[in-house]
Amino acid sequence: MTSEVIAPPTAGAGFPNLAVLPPRVRVIMLVTAQWLSHSINVLAEIGVADHLVDGPRTVAEIATATETDPDALYRVLRAAASLGVFAERPDGRFELTPDADCLRSDTPGSLRNFARHVGHACRLQSYASMVDTVRTGDQAFRKVHGMQSFDFYAAHPHLAEVFNGAMTAFSEAAADELSGLGDFGRFGVIADIGGGHGHMLSAVLRAHSGVKGILFDRPEVLAGADPVLERNGVQDRVTRTPGDFFADVPVADAYVLKSVLHDWTDDECVTILGNIRRRIGDNADARVILFEATVPELNTFDFSKLMDIEMLVNLGGRERTEAEWRALFHRSGFELATTTRATPPNWVLEAKPR
């Protein structure tokens, strides 16, 4: 490396403003961004933030608590702290920052499990084969591991626990906002398809006391739902229904799917939506409500365009434009009725039977 790579103007001020850097330096920063993400993922994996809740600690103390090498740990912490994730004090101790707080296990909407999930070797191995995906269109994860991601998690419960924890944290953080963007009170029964532990469904039911819910997911996922439903006081209004949405779904007046369809190909989505359409039958008032990203056209930056790379490499699904969502609904017997922008990258997409 050369002195071309300039530091942020203020230590710990955050990632440099790429727009003001020369093109060559900007590309260097982008190419080497994995050095930073790997560092943060490792600090999340070993739980550093949890060990700083009670105040600053020396590297030696953190290393003892995390069973790590003090020198190696210091170098990783120093890199993260230079961008505001943790902070190094003049006395050599490290402390939490607002960004580092996001990596605490006990923070609402914690990103610790997400960082652990993204940084796990099984996913990084897929990215090492990404060039083959670009050449062939075949999913790298399946090529590297010999199976789809969700089958891999089923075979490795400890990884499934991390993944489910990451997805639960996202649902928990977004549930109140998203549940307030739909007119759910008009439905008698709402089925949350692939609803995980029920954070989204709980938020909807809390806001609409006359509505009942169905939480539909794989049996091993539903096993963790009771504490969430009980904490939200909706356990008596929710039917837990294990199943496979590729085979069938329960009967309901409305179907909610949060960040589900982006995991799957168009043909697989048509199967899922087709099962819902079959269950709806001639109920013209039934609705499908998606909480998904919608990719903007041309060169506009949107996080959904980066999420789409993860779908391409590790899951085989895709993020979709509004036109692609319309086409997908049409193939499945629905018509896209309304779209509502939520906190990026989320949108609320409501479809009706046609």
Side-chain angles (χ1 to χ4, degrees):
M1 299 300 295
T2 73
S3 59
E4 287 180 285
V5 180
I6 60 176
T10 303
F15 203 80
N17 181 356
L18 297 182
V20 304
L21 299 179
R24 181 178 171 82
V25 176
R26 184 160 57 243
V27 172
I28 290 173
M29 295 297 294
L30 291 171
V31 168
T32 59
Q34 62 179 327
W35 298 345
L36 173 61
S37 62
H38 289 337
S39 297
I40 294 172
N41 296 342
V42 166
L43 295 174
E45 177 63 34
I46 62 178
V48 169
D50 290 347
H51 293 289
L52 295 177
V53 172
D54 294 329
R57 302 181 73 175
T58 66
V59 171
E61 291 171 334
I62 302 170
T64 297
T66 58
E67 299 181 344
T68 55
D69 177 78
D71 179 65
L73 176 62
Y74 172 72
R75 293 162 69 180
V76 175
L77 276 168
R78 177 177 62 184
S82 72
L83 295 174
V85 184
F86 302 101
E88 183 177 7
R89 295 162 60 99
D91 61 8
R93 293 184 297 166
F94 280 86
E95 63 186 356
L96 291 171
T97 61
D99 288 2
D101 267 330
C102 297
L103 300 178
R104 288 171 48 183
S105 299
D106 61 350
T107 298
S110 169
L111 292 175
R112 184 189 175 200
N113 276 325
F114 180 65
R116 297 172 67 201
H117 163 69
V118 169
H120 194 273
C122 71
R123 309 191 76 73
L124 300 181
Q125 289 163 2
S126 301
Y127 278 101
S129 296
M130 182 176 170
V131 66
D132 295 326
T133 293
V134 174
R135 286 176 174 145
T136 67
D138 295 333
Q139 178 195 149
F141 191 97
R142 182 169 50 201
K143 176 183 177 182
V144 171
H145 298 290
M147 63 184 77
Q148 293 276 17
S149 292
F150 292 111
D151 295 329
F152 188 85
Y153 296 145
H156 299 82
H158 63 293
L159 296 182
E161 182 178 356
V162 172
F163 172 76
N164 289 331
M167 296 305 103
T168 293
F170 276 113
S171 293
E172 185 177 21
D176 287 337
E177 180 201 11
L178 296 178
S179 66
L181 293 176
D183 180 14
F184 294 103
R186 59 192 151 139
F187 305 116
V189 178
I190 297 174
D192 191 352
I193 305 300
H197 293 164
H199 286 283
M200 187 72 240
L201 185 59
S202 293
V204 170
L205 297 185
R206 285 201 322 268
H208 303 282
S209 60
V211 177
K212 294 185 178 180
I214 300 172
L215 185 60
F216 184 86
D217 213 313
R218 301 186 309 278
E220 65 271 21
V221 176
L222 290 181
D226 281 354
V228 175
L229 300 178
E230 291 170 3
R231 185 167 66 248
N232 284 279
V234 298
Q235 67 272 22
D236 295 334
R237 295 160 55 200
V238 176
T239 301
R240 293 78 153 170
T241 303
D244 175 4
F245 46 49
F246 288 114
D248 200 4
V249 296
V251 175
D253 300 312
Y255 295 83
V256 171
L257 297 91
K258 181 187 179 299
S259 303
V260 171
L261 295 186
H262 74 161
D263 290 338
W264 306 101
T265 66
D266 285 355
D267 288 343
E268 289 168 327
C269 289
V270 169
T271 297
I272 298 168
L273 291 171
N275 287 334
I276 293 173
R277 183 65 185 88
R278 178 171 53 83
R279 284 298 192 180
I280 285 175
D282 59 2
N283 181 2
D285 294 326
R287 294 291 185 268
V288 172
I289 301 171
L290 306 184
F291 300 114
E292 291 276 6
T294 298
V295 182
E297 303 287 353
L298 298 178
N299 301 314
T300 301
F301 175 81
D302 194 88
F303 189 64
S304 61
K305 294 180 179 180
L306 304 184
M307 291 166 57
D308 190 50
I309 302 304
E310 173 70 2
M311 300 301 117
L312 174 69
V313 173
N314 276 317
L315 288 165
R318 67 187 307 126
E319 304 299 338
R320 296 174 171 90
T321 65
E322 182 176 324
E324 289 169 333
W325 282 120
R326 287 186 184 278
L328 194 63
F329 279 128
H330 190 270
R331 284 183 60 190
S332 309
F334 293 96
E335 174 186 349
L336 181 59
T338 64
T339 62
T340 303
R341 186 70 194 255
T343 299
N346 289 314
W347 286 74
V348 183
L349 309 173
E350 182 174 318
K352 61 184 180 181
R354 61 178 182 84

